[in-house]
mmCIF file of all heavy atoms in Angstrom:
data_model
loop_
_atom_site.group_PDB
_atom_site.id
_atom_site.type_symbol
_atom_site.label_atom_id
_atom_site.label_comp_id
_atom_site.label_asym_id
_atom_site.label_seq_id
_atom_site.Cartn_x
_atom_site.Cartn_y
_atom_site.Cartn_z
ATOM 1 N N ARG B 120 -18.325 -0.527 -65.840
ATOM 2 C CA ARG B 120 -19.384 -0.211 -64.869
ATOM 3 C C ARG B 120 -18.780 0.061 -63.498
ATOM 4 O O ARG B 120 -19.140 1.036 -62.823
ATOM 5 C CB ARG B 120 -20.384 -1.367 -64.781
ATOM 6 C CG ARG B 120 -21.492 -1.130 -63.748
ATOM 7 C CD ARG B 120 -22.440 -2.304 -63.645
ATOM 8 N NE ARG B 120 -21.800 -3.578 -63.408
ATOM 9 C CZ ARG B 120 -21.388 -4.013 -62.189
ATOM 10 N NH1 ARG B 120 -21.538 -3.250 -61.132
ATOM 11 N NH2 ARG B 120 -20.843 -5.201 -62.057
ATOM 12 N N LEU B 121 -17.833 -0.781 -63.079
ATOM 13 C CA LEU B 121 -17.205 -0.597 -61.774
ATOM 14 C C LEU B 121 -16.411 0.701 -61.707
ATOM 15 O O LEU B 121 -16.411 1.387 -60.679
ATOM 16 C CB LEU B 121 -16.304 -1.791 -61.453
ATOM 17 C CG LEU B 121 -17.024 -3.102 -61.157
ATOM 18 C CD1 LEU B 121 -16.031 -4.255 -61.144
ATOM 19 C CD2 LEU B 121 -17.788 -3.022 -59.857
ATOM 20 N N GLU B 122 -15.737 1.062 -62.788
ATOM 21 C CA GLU B 122 -14.995 2.328 -62.815
ATOM 22 C C GLU B 122 -15.940 3.517 -62.711
ATOM 23 O O GLU B 122 -15.635 4.501 -62.030
ATOM 24 C CB GLU B 122 -14.144 2.419 -64.069
ATOM 25 C CG GLU B 122 -12.920 1.525 -64.025
ATOM 26 C CD GLU B 122 -12.118 1.525 -65.312
ATOM 27 O OE1 GLU B 122 -12.658 1.957 -66.353
ATOM 28 O OE2 GLU B 122 -10.963 1.082 -65.259
ATOM 29 N N ALA B 123 -17.081 3.426 -63.382
ATOM 30 C CA ALA B 123 -18.064 4.511 -63.293
ATOM 31 C C ALA B 123 -18.618 4.630 -61.874
ATOM 32 O O ALA B 123 -18.766 5.747 -61.343
ATOM 33 C CB ALA B 123 -19.194 4.273 -64.290
ATOM 34 N N GLU B 124 -18.918 3.478 -61.257
ATOM 35 C CA GLU B 124 -19.412 3.509 -59.876
ATOM 36 C C GLU B 124 -18.345 4.076 -58.936
ATOM 37 O O GLU B 124 -18.647 4.881 -58.058
ATOM 38 C CB GLU B 124 -19.806 2.105 -59.426
ATOM 39 C CG GLU B 124 -21.046 1.569 -60.098
ATOM 40 C CD GLU B 124 -21.327 0.123 -59.741
ATOM 41 O OE1 GLU B 124 -20.593 -0.458 -58.907
ATOM 42 O OE2 GLU B 124 -22.289 -0.429 -60.290
ATOM 43 N N ARG B 125 -17.101 3.635 -59.133
ATOM 44 C CA ARG B 125 -16.007 4.115 -58.288
ATOM 45 C C ARG B 125 -15.832 5.622 -58.449
ATOM 46 O O ARG B 125 -15.616 6.341 -57.473
ATOM 47 C CB ARG B 125 -14.725 3.381 -58.644
ATOM 48 C CG ARG B 125 -13.556 3.759 -57.757
ATOM 49 C CD ARG B 125 -12.328 2.972 -58.069
ATOM 50 N NE ARG B 125 -11.896 3.243 -59.438
ATOM 51 C CZ ARG B 125 -10.858 2.674 -60.014
ATOM 52 N NH1 ARG B 125 -10.150 1.774 -59.356
ATOM 53 N NH2 ARG B 125 -10.514 2.974 -61.241
ATOM 54 N N HIS B 126 -15.954 6.122 -59.681
ATOM 55 C CA HIS B 126 -15.847 7.566 -59.919
ATOM 56 C C HIS B 126 -16.969 8.310 -59.201
ATOM 57 O O HIS B 126 -16.745 9.376 -58.606
ATOM 58 C CB HIS B 126 -15.876 7.861 -61.412
ATOM 59 C CG HIS B 126 -15.828 9.321 -61.714
ATOM 60 N ND1 HIS B 126 -14.693 10.088 -61.530
ATOM 61 C CD2 HIS B 126 -16.794 10.171 -62.161
ATOM 62 C CE1 HIS B 126 -14.965 11.340 -61.844
ATOM 63 N NE2 HIS B 126 -16.225 11.421 -62.233
ATOM 64 N N GLY B 127 -18.187 7.765 -59.259
ATOM 65 C CA GLY B 127 -19.309 8.399 -58.568
ATOM 66 C C GLY B 127 -19.075 8.491 -57.063
ATOM 67 O O GLY B 127 -19.348 9.524 -56.434
ATOM 68 N N TYR B 128 -18.567 7.397 -56.486
ATOM 69 C CA TYR B 128 -18.244 7.423 -55.058
ATOM 70 C C TYR B 128 -17.117 8.416 -54.773
ATOM 71 O O TYR B 128 -17.121 9.090 -53.742
ATOM 72 C CB TYR B 128 -17.837 6.036 -54.567
ATOM 73 C CG TYR B 128 -19.008 5.097 -54.383
ATOM 74 C CD1 TYR B 128 -19.092 3.920 -55.096
ATOM 75 C CD2 TYR B 128 -20.017 5.381 -53.467
ATOM 76 C CE1 TYR B 128 -20.152 3.056 -54.927
ATOM 77 C CE2 TYR B 128 -21.088 4.528 -53.289
ATOM 78 C CZ TYR B 128 -21.149 3.363 -54.017
ATOM 79 O OH TYR B 128 -22.215 2.516 -53.840
ATOM 80 N N SER B 129 -16.167 8.522 -55.679
ATOM 81 C CA SER B 129 -15.050 9.446 -55.502
ATOM 82 C C SER B 129 -15.532 10.894 -55.481
ATOM 83 O O SER B 129 -15.078 11.705 -54.655
ATOM 84 C CB SER B 129 -14.025 9.241 -56.615
ATOM 85 O OG SER B 129 -12.999 10.185 -56.538
ATOM 86 N N VAL B 130 -16.441 11.217 -56.382
ATOM 87 C CA VAL B 130 -16.993 12.576 -56.427
ATOM 88 C C VAL B 130 -17.762 12.871 -55.148
ATOM 89 O O VAL B 130 -17.617 13.946 -54.545
ATOM 90 C CB VAL B 130 -17.886 12.754 -57.675
ATOM 91 C CG1 VAL B 130 -18.676 14.042 -57.611
ATOM 92 C CG2 VAL B 130 -17.044 12.686 -58.936
ATOM 93 N N THR B 131 -18.570 11.909 -54.706
ATOM 94 C CA THR B 131 -19.327 12.092 -53.462
ATOM 95 C C THR B 131 -18.381 12.235 -52.275
ATOM 96 O O THR B 131 -18.594 13.065 -51.392
ATOM 97 C CB THR B 131 -20.288 10.910 -53.241
ATOM 98 O OG1 THR B 131 -21.113 10.764 -54.391
ATOM 99 C CG2 THR B 131 -21.170 11.131 -52.025
ATOM 100 N N PHE B 132 -17.323 11.428 -52.263
ATOM 101 C CA PHE B 132 -16.323 11.485 -51.198
ATOM 102 C C PHE B 132 -15.680 12.870 -51.145
ATOM 103 O O PHE B 132 -15.506 13.443 -50.065
ATOM 104 C CB PHE B 132 -15.265 10.405 -51.434
ATOM 105 C CG PHE B 132 -14.218 10.330 -50.371
ATOM 106 C CD1 PHE B 132 -14.430 9.582 -49.227
ATOM 107 C CD2 PHE B 132 -13.007 10.993 -50.514
ATOM 108 C CE1 PHE B 132 -13.459 9.497 -48.240
ATOM 109 C CE2 PHE B 132 -12.027 10.911 -49.546
ATOM 110 C CZ PHE B 132 -12.253 10.165 -48.392
ATOM 111 N N ALA B 133 -15.333 13.405 -52.311
ATOM 112 C CA ALA B 133 -14.698 14.723 -52.364
ATOM 113 C C ALA B 133 -15.631 15.830 -51.884
ATOM 114 O O ALA B 133 -15.175 16.837 -51.335
ATOM 115 C CB ALA B 133 -14.229 15.019 -53.784
ATOM 116 N N ASN B 134 -16.939 15.646 -52.067
ATOM 117 C CA ASN B 134 -17.907 16.665 -51.669
ATOM 118 C C ASN B 134 -18.464 16.458 -50.266
ATOM 119 O O ASN B 134 -19.338 17.206 -49.835
ATOM 120 C CB ASN B 134 -19.061 16.714 -52.671
ATOM 121 C CG ASN B 134 -18.605 17.204 -54.025
ATOM 122 O OD1 ASN B 134 -17.723 18.041 -54.129
ATOM 123 N ND2 ASN B 134 -19.188 16.652 -55.078
ATOM 124 N N THR B 135 -17.975 15.445 -49.563
ATOM 125 C CA THR B 135 -18.440 15.175 -48.203
ATOM 126 C C THR B 135 -17.516 15.885 -47.211
ATOM 127 O O THR B 135 -16.296 15.866 -47.365
ATOM 128 C CB THR B 135 -18.426 13.650 -47.924
ATOM 129 O OG1 THR B 135 -19.245 13.007 -48.886
ATOM 130 C CG2 THR B 135 -18.952 13.337 -46.537
ATOM 131 N N ALA B 136 -18.127 16.483 -46.231
ATOM 132 C CA ALA B 136 -17.345 17.227 -45.226
ATOM 133 C C ALA B 136 -16.412 16.277 -44.484
ATOM 134 O O ALA B 136 -16.760 15.127 -44.203
ATOM 135 C CB ALA B 136 -18.287 17.901 -44.239
ATOM 136 N N GLU B 137 -15.223 16.764 -44.154
ATOM 137 C CA GLU B 137 -14.240 15.945 -43.436
ATOM 138 C C GLU B 137 -14.721 15.557 -42.049
ATOM 139 O O GLU B 137 -14.269 14.564 -41.489
ATOM 140 C CB GLU B 137 -12.902 16.674 -43.366
ATOM 141 C CG GLU B 137 -12.206 16.751 -44.700
ATOM 142 C CD GLU B 137 -10.813 17.349 -44.585
ATOM 143 O OE1 GLU B 137 -10.191 17.233 -43.505
ATOM 144 O OE2 GLU B 137 -10.357 17.910 -45.580
ATOM 145 N N SER B 138 -15.637 16.329 -41.498
ATOM 146 C CA SER B 138 -16.157 16.013 -40.165
ATOM 147 C C SER B 138 -17.119 14.818 -40.192
ATOM 148 O O SER B 138 -17.381 14.211 -39.156
ATOM 149 C CB SER B 138 -16.865 17.237 -39.573
ATOM 150 O OG SER B 138 -17.941 17.619 -40.416
ATOM 151 N N ASP B 139 -17.639 14.461 -41.350
ATOM 152 C CA ASP B 139 -18.563 13.324 -41.487
ATOM 153 C C ASP B 139 -17.751 12.049 -41.753
ATOM 154 O O ASP B 139 -17.714 11.514 -42.855
ATOM 155 C CB ASP B 139 -19.548 13.593 -42.630
ATOM 156 C CG ASP B 139 -20.682 12.593 -42.661
ATOM 157 O OD1 ASP B 139 -20.700 11.668 -41.822
ATOM 158 O OD2 ASP B 139 -21.546 12.724 -43.545
ATOM 159 N N THR B 140 -17.100 11.573 -40.714
ATOM 160 C CA THR B 140 -16.177 10.446 -40.861
ATOM 161 C C THR B 140 -16.876 9.136 -41.208
ATOM 162 O O THR B 140 -16.310 8.301 -41.917
ATOM 163 C CB THR B 140 -15.346 10.263 -39.583
ATOM 164 O OG1 THR B 140 -16.234 10.065 -38.484
ATOM 165 C CG2 THR B 140 -14.460 11.462 -39.332
ATOM 166 N N VAL B 141 -18.092 8.954 -40.740
ATOM 167 C CA VAL B 141 -18.813 7.702 -41.010
ATOM 168 C C VAL B 141 -19.128 7.579 -42.500
ATOM 169 O O VAL B 141 -18.874 6.541 -43.125
ATOM 170 C CB VAL B 141 -20.107 7.624 -40.160
ATOM 171 C CG1 VAL B 141 -20.934 6.412 -40.545
ATOM 172 C CG2 VAL B 141 -19.774 7.600 -38.683
ATOM 173 N N THR B 142 -19.651 8.637 -43.075
ATOM 174 C CA THR B 142 -19.979 8.624 -44.501
ATOM 175 C C THR B 142 -18.715 8.474 -45.341
ATOM 176 O O THR B 142 -18.678 7.689 -46.296
ATOM 177 C CB THR B 142 -20.733 9.909 -44.892
ATOM 178 O OG1 THR B 142 -21.898 10.017 -44.088
ATOM 179 C CG2 THR B 142 -21.111 9.890 -46.355
ATOM 180 N N ARG B 143 -17.664 9.212 -44.962
ATOM 181 C CA ARG B 143 -16.417 9.122 -45.717
ATOM 182 C C ARG B 143 -15.824 7.716 -45.637
ATOM 183 O O ARG B 143 -15.312 7.192 -46.629
ATOM 184 C CB ARG B 143 -15.420 10.168 -45.220
ATOM 185 C CG ARG B 143 -15.810 11.587 -45.626
ATOM 186 C CD ARG B 143 -14.877 12.627 -45.048
ATOM 187 N NE ARG B 143 -13.534 12.585 -45.607
ATOM 188 C CZ ARG B 143 -13.154 13.225 -46.702
ATOM 189 N NH1 ARG B 143 -14.026 13.969 -47.356
ATOM 190 N NH2 ARG B 143 -11.912 13.148 -47.126
ATOM 191 N N ALA B 144 -15.905 7.087 -44.474
ATOM 192 C CA ALA B 144 -15.385 5.727 -44.321
ATOM 193 C C ALA B 144 -16.182 4.749 -45.184
ATOM 194 O O ALA B 144 -15.616 3.857 -45.823
ATOM 195 C CB ALA B 144 -15.427 5.299 -42.859
ATOM 196 N N HIS B 145 -17.492 4.926 -45.208
ATOM 197 C CA HIS B 145 -18.332 4.060 -46.039
ATOM 198 C C HIS B 145 -18.012 4.242 -47.526
ATOM 199 O O HIS B 145 -17.877 3.255 -48.268
ATOM 200 C CB HIS B 145 -19.811 4.354 -45.783
ATOM 201 C CG HIS B 145 -20.732 3.608 -46.691
ATOM 202 N ND1 HIS B 145 -20.946 2.259 -46.592
ATOM 203 C CD2 HIS B 145 -21.472 4.037 -47.743
ATOM 204 C CE1 HIS B 145 -21.780 1.882 -47.551
ATOM 205 N NE2 HIS B 145 -22.120 2.937 -48.254
ATOM 206 N N LEU B 146 -17.878 5.476 -47.953
ATOM 207 C CA LEU B 146 -17.549 5.742 -49.356
ATOM 208 C C LEU B 146 -16.179 5.182 -49.724
ATOM 209 O O LEU B 146 -16.004 4.600 -50.800
ATOM 210 C CB LEU B 146 -17.606 7.251 -49.638
ATOM 211 C CG LEU B 146 -18.999 7.883 -49.571
ATOM 212 C CD1 LEU B 146 -18.875 9.402 -49.592
ATOM 213 C CD2 LEU B 146 -19.853 7.387 -50.721
#
């Protein structure tokens, strides 16, 4: 379950703009 959640966050992180530092830091 944790690996699946981590993968989901990883995908979201990869699709988040580099200028959105707050979201990227949270992810």
Side-chain angles (χ1 to χ4, degrees):
R120 178 182 53 81
L121 290 168
E122 286 176 343
E124 290 174 4
R125 183 177 62 182
H126 178 71
Y128 284 120
S129 175
V130 169
T131 305
F132 182 86
N134 293 326
T135 302
E137 289 186 27
S138 60
D139 191 358
T140 58
V141 174
T142 303
R143 288 176 68 87
H145 174 72
L146 292 169

